[in-house]
Amino acid sequence: MSDQEPRRLRALAAIAVGQLRHIGPKRTAALASMGLESVFDLLTLYPRRYIDRTRRVDLSDLRVGDEAAVFAEVTASSSRRTRQGKSLVDVSIVDGGETMKVAFFNQPWRAAQLTPGVQAVFFGKVSEFRGTRQMTNPVVDVIVGATGEDRDASRVGGVVALYPASGKAGVTSWEMGGFVEESLKRAGPLLDPLPAPLRHDHSLIDRTAAYWGIHLPRDLADVAPARRRLVFDEFLRLQLLLALRRRRLEETAAGVRHPFDEHDLDVSPGSLAGADSSLVRRFLSAHRFALTGAQRRVLSEIGRDMSSTLPMHRLLQGDVGSGKTVVALATLLMAIDGGRQGAFMAPTEVLAEQHVAALRADLAGLRVRDDAVLGGDREVVVQLLTGRVKGRERQAVLSALGTGGVDIVVGTHALLTDDVRFRALGAVVIDEQHRFGVQQRALLRDKGREHSLEALDPDLLVMTATPIPRTAAMVVFGDLDRSVLDELPAGRRGIVTSWACTPLEVQGAWRKVRDEVAAGRRAYVICPLVEESERVEATSAVAERTRLATHELRGLSVGLLHGQMKSAQKDEVMAQFRTGEIQVLVATVVIEVGVDVAQASVIVIEDAWRFGLAQLHQLRGRVGRGDAPSHCYLLGEAPNDEARQRLEALVESDDGFALAEVDLDLRGEGTLLGARQRGRSDLRLASLRRDEALLNEAREVALELVAGDALAHNVEMVDELRLFVDDEEAQFLFRS
Ligand code: ADP
Ligand code: MG
C-alpha cells in the first residue's frame, strides 16, 4: 500500500460501494437509498457521535427517573405477547457486573437485533418495574454487532464512532462503521491539495490523518484536529467557488460608471441645491426626512460601487423599518443622473404598486434632462409593469422603456420576461430578496446586458429584511458585497410584544384593538397559517373575518385580504385600509413583506406558533411605523419546546439580527443553506455556529489563492472543486 499513488477525492468518488467487501447488490441498493454510492460518499458520512468504551456509566449509579445513555452488553432476550396482545421483547443487559432490564413494546424485530453478545447504547428514561430498574422503549445504537456478522468486534478500539443508521434501509450503525473502515483501507493514502506551509500556518493536520482520525480515532483526542481539518476543507472549497465566481463575473464585466459625489449625501432637507446639482442632491434637499447615519454610510458604499466600472453586486440587509426604500431610490437616481434607467423589483404586485405610489410621491417635482422634450427637461417618470399591466397600456410602457421615456420601472418577476427591453438599464434593485431565488438573480444579471440597447451590465442591489447572521451570509451570499442598515430612524416609539395565552389575555388583545381604532389608528389581524392550500387558507380567513366582525370586533369596519383575491380587489382593500375606511384588516400572510401603513399600531397574530421566527418578525414589522407606540399580540399556546422558545425570543427582542441568531440556533443551518446547494452538497460537518473562526480563515485563504492565481496552478485543487459544481458552472468557472 505504501507505494500507492496518493488518491484524489475524484478517484474515491469513482469507486462504487459495490466494489467493497461484503457489499452485494442488496446492500448497494440499501446504501443508495441513503444517498451513498461511492467510497467518497462513505468517507464523508461522518459519525454522529462517539462512544468512549473506556469510560462507562456505572449501572449502579442510575436512579429512577434519570435519562441516561447506557453502554452495555446483552446477556439474554426473550419475546412474548402481553395480555393485551402487544408484542413484548424483554432484554437483559449487563455492564460491570450490574444488570438491568430493557423492555420493548411493539418492536418484535428487537429480538433478532439484540441477541446475547451484542453491545449497544441504550438511551432512555430509567423507570422502576416490580422493584428493579428498567428502561422501556429506549433508543438503541448497536455498537458491536452479534458474532457472525461481518465485522470483527475484537478489532474495534476503545472509541467507537456511531453513524447515521437507517432502520428503513436495514443498515445499522455498526455495519456502516464496517463499510467506512473498509473504505478507508481501500482508499489508502490521500492526496492533499493544501500545500504544507498553508497547513502549518493554519494548524491543520494532513488529509489522510484527518479521515482516519474522524472515523477510527484511537482516543477522543484524535477527533478534534481531524474535524478541524475536514471542516476547513468544506469551507475552503465553498469559498474558493464563490471567490472564483466573483472573479469570473468581474473579468467578463462591462459595467457602467455612474456619476457620484460623496458630498451630495451630506445635504439635508431644506438646504439649497441648484438646478444643476446632481439628482441625489436635489432629491435629498427636498425630501421629507434626513438620512440616518446608517443610510448615509450605506449610500456611500453603494455610490462607490456605482461609480466604478465593475458592476455593483451588493446585498443590503436592513431590519424591517430601517428605511431601505430611500436607499433604493437614491441608488436608482444615481443611475438616472447618468442618463440611464433603473428597475425596481418587488416580490408581489401589492408591493410593486405600493412602491410606485410611494416613489412617485417622493420624486414629485424632481426634474431630469431630456433633450427629446420641449424645454430640455421633464419630471422623473416612474411606471408600473406587472403581469396585470396589459394590452395598450403595456405596449406604451414597453416602448417608453425602449426609448428612455421611462426612468424607473417597478414590477415583479414580470420584469424578467423577454419583451422587456431598456434603452440603457443602469441599475437594478431587488426588494425582499428571499422571495427571489439565486437562480432568478443570475437570470436577471445575464439578461441585463441583452435587454439593454446599451449592452452594459447594470449595477445590482439586492435588499433583504430577513437578517442573516454574518456567518450564514458569508456562505449563502459570499459572492455579494454586503451593507447593513443597523440603525432605525429616530423617533420610533417601539413595539410592545405580548404573548397572549389565557382567555383573559386574549380578551386584552382584542380590547387593545378596539382602543387603538377608537383613537383613530388601525389594526392587522393575521389568520392562522393553513398548509394545505391557499384556497383553504382563504376560506378560513373569510370565516375568521366574519367571526371577528360579529363578535370580538363587532361595530368596527373589518376588511379582508388574502392570496386568492384578484389584484384589483387587493388594491382596493389596501387603499381603504390606508384611508381608514377599513379599520381592521384581517389578512393571511400576504401582507408579510413590506406593506407600509403608518397609522397601523396593533397587530394580532393568531396561532402564532405556526409561523417561523423570521416570518413573525416580518409580520410584526407592519406596525411601529408611525409615531404612536405599537403593540403586537401573539395568540395561542405553543405545542412544543421549540415553538415556545421562538415566541419567547420574539417577546424579548425586536432586533432582527439577534432573532436571526436565535433562529439559526433553533433550526440549524440546513434550512438556511438549503436554497443554496447546487450540485453536490458540501457542508456536512461544518457548523456555522461552532466554526465561525475557521470560516473566516478559510475565506481569507480562498481570497488569497484566487487573487494570486495560485489556484490556477493547483491542478489537484481545481480537480477537487469540479466535483462540487455542475457542468455548466464548471465551464464558467474553470475555462482557461
Ligand atoms: P424598510 O423597507 O427597510 O422596512 P421603509 O423604507 O419602508 O423601511 O421605511 C420605513 C418607514 O420609515 C417609512 O415610513 C419611511 O418613510 C420612514 N423612514 C425611512 N428613513 C427615514 C429617516 N431617515 N428618517 C425618518 N423616517 C424615515
Ligand atoms: Mg421595504
Side-chain angles (χ1 to χ4, degrees), residues 695-713:
L695 172 56
N696 287 325
E697 283 184 51
R699 182 164 174 92
E700 249 166 60
V701 170
L703 292 177
E704 244 167 66
L705 288 179
V706 170
D709 265 343
L711 181 64
H713 298 112

Side-chain angles (χ1 to χ4, degrees), residues 220-477:
L220 284 180
D222 289 346
V223 176
R227 184 177 179 282
R228 183 181 157 80
R229 168 61 205 261
L230 295 168
V231 167
F232 184 87
D233 282 5
E234 291 182 356
F235 281 144
L236 181 65
R237 285 189 288 257
L238 190 64
Q239 294 301 321
L240 280 172
L241 289 171
L242 289 167
L244 211 53
R245 184 174 306 146
R246 194 169 164 129
R247 171 147 186 192
R248 288 288 179 251
L249 286 172
E250 287 177 358
E251 281 167 359
T252 56
V256 184
R257 195 189 278 279
H258 300 281
F260 171 67
D261 181 351
E262 177 97 30
H263 298 299
D264 288 344
L265 298 178
D266 294 325
V267 297
S268 38
S271 60
L272 285 177
D276 55 348
S277 44
S278 76
L279 269 178
V280 170
R281 191 179 189 94
R282 281 184 281 142
F283 167 70
L284 291 176
S285 68
H287 199 49
R288 56 200 156 84
F289 51 71
L291 296 178
T292 63
Q295 285 168 331
R296 159 83 182 67
R297 189 194 69 239
V298 164
L299 271 172
S300 113
E301 289 163 4
I302 289 173
R304 257 173 275 146
D305 285 359
M306 295 280 287
S307 56
S308 110
T309 43
L310 286 180
M312 171 163 70
H313 214 188
R314 186 171 287 277
L315 175 72
L316 171 60
Q317 287 194 279
D319 212 338
V320 275
S322 60
K324 292 184 292 297
T325 316
V326 70
V327 172
L329 189 45
T331 303
L332 296 171
L333 288 177
M334 290 178 203
I336 295 169
D337 220 6
R340 297 188 175 79
Q341 297 156 296
F344 195 172
M345 290 222 284
T348 66
E349 291 186 343
V350 170
L351 275 184
E353 293 180 15
Q354 178 179 293
H355 279 318
V356 167
L359 260 52
R360 280 185 180 151
D362 279 348
L363 293 173
L366 200 62
R367 305 189 72 82
V368 284
R369 257 171 301 137
D370 185 346
D371 297 332
V373 300
L374 209 61
D377 73 346
R378 57 164 171 78
E379 285 207 359
V380 174
V381 175
V382 181
Q383 284 292 3
L384 180 73
L385 191 66
T386 59
R388 267 172 59 200
V389 179
K390 291 201 175 95
R392 206 175 301 161
E393 200 187 344
R394 181 179 174 85
Q395 283 316 314
V397 176
L398 288 180
S399 97
L401 277 175
T403 59
V406 168
D407 301 298
I408 297 177
V409 64
V410 183
T412 53
H413 301 62
L415 285 183
L416 295 180
T417 53
D418 226 28
D419 59 342
V420 181
R421 313 221 147 232
F422 297 83
R423 189 182 66 75
L425 181 59
V428 177
V429 177
I430 303 183
D431 194 9
E432 312 296 0
Q433 121 87 27
H434 60 294
R435 295 290 176 93
F436 285 100
V438 178
Q439 237 106 23
Q440 274 150 326
R441 180 148 57 86
L443 183 73
L444 179 79
R445 226 203 103 89
D446 296 347
K447 293 255 163 148
R449 200 183 297 195
E450 299 160 23
H451 273 205
S452 197
L453 281 180
E454 194 185 35
L456 293 176
D457 294 340
D459 287 76
L460 178 65
L461 181 68
V462 174
M463 308 200 295
T464 171
T466 311
I468 303 166
R470 210 183 62 83
T471 48
M474 268 168 70
V475 170
V476 183
F477 297 112

